[in-house]
Amino acid sequence: MSEGWFPILFIGIISAIGILIMSFKVTRTVLFITSSILSLICISLFFYSLTDIKSWKGFAVGFITISSLIGIWIGTIIGMLIKK
């Protein structure tokens, strides 16, 4: 069962690492704005997957976007705490 969840978890981990690396190179304001924009994209893609795709592929896209959203905010929170 873990083989099916690997891509979803991998996307979340990669997005968290990407935001964390970005937090070392930009200011806190730019980090927060970037995270907010990426979060809006993830949320809109999640709602698109629920309303327009309406199949198992839609659920997969929804799980991937939620995983990415969680990774983005975990990376943002850790990056903000490190930059403090």
Side-chain angles (χ1 to χ4, degrees):
M1 179 161 160
S2 65
E3 295 89 19
W5 289 99
F6 178 73
I8 296 170
L9 296 174
F10 187 68
I11 294 221
I13 291 169
I14 291 298
S15 63
I17 291 171
I19 292 291
L20 188 62
I21 290 171
M22 190 179 76
S23 72
F24 290 115
K25 301 191 182 289
V26 297
T27 63
R28 292 178 77 167
T29 308
V30 173
L31 178 66
F32 185 72
I33 290 171
T34 305
S35 296
S36 298
I37 291 171
L38 289 174
S39 296
L40 287 174
I41 291 170
C42 286
I43 291 169
S44 62
L45 189 60
F46 176 75
F47 284 125
Y48 171 74
S49 73
L50 290 180
T51 58
D52 290 341
I53 298 176
K54 294 181 184 175
S55 67
W56 288 109
K57 291 179 185 177
F59 285 119
V61 171
F63 279 131
I64 289 172
T65 55
I66 292 299
S67 173
S68 179
L69 181 69
I70 291 170
I72 287 168
W73 281 105
I74 287 174
T76 301
I77 290 169
I78 292 172
M80 294 261 191
L81 291 174
I82 288 174
K83 283 193 87 98
K84 196 173 191 179

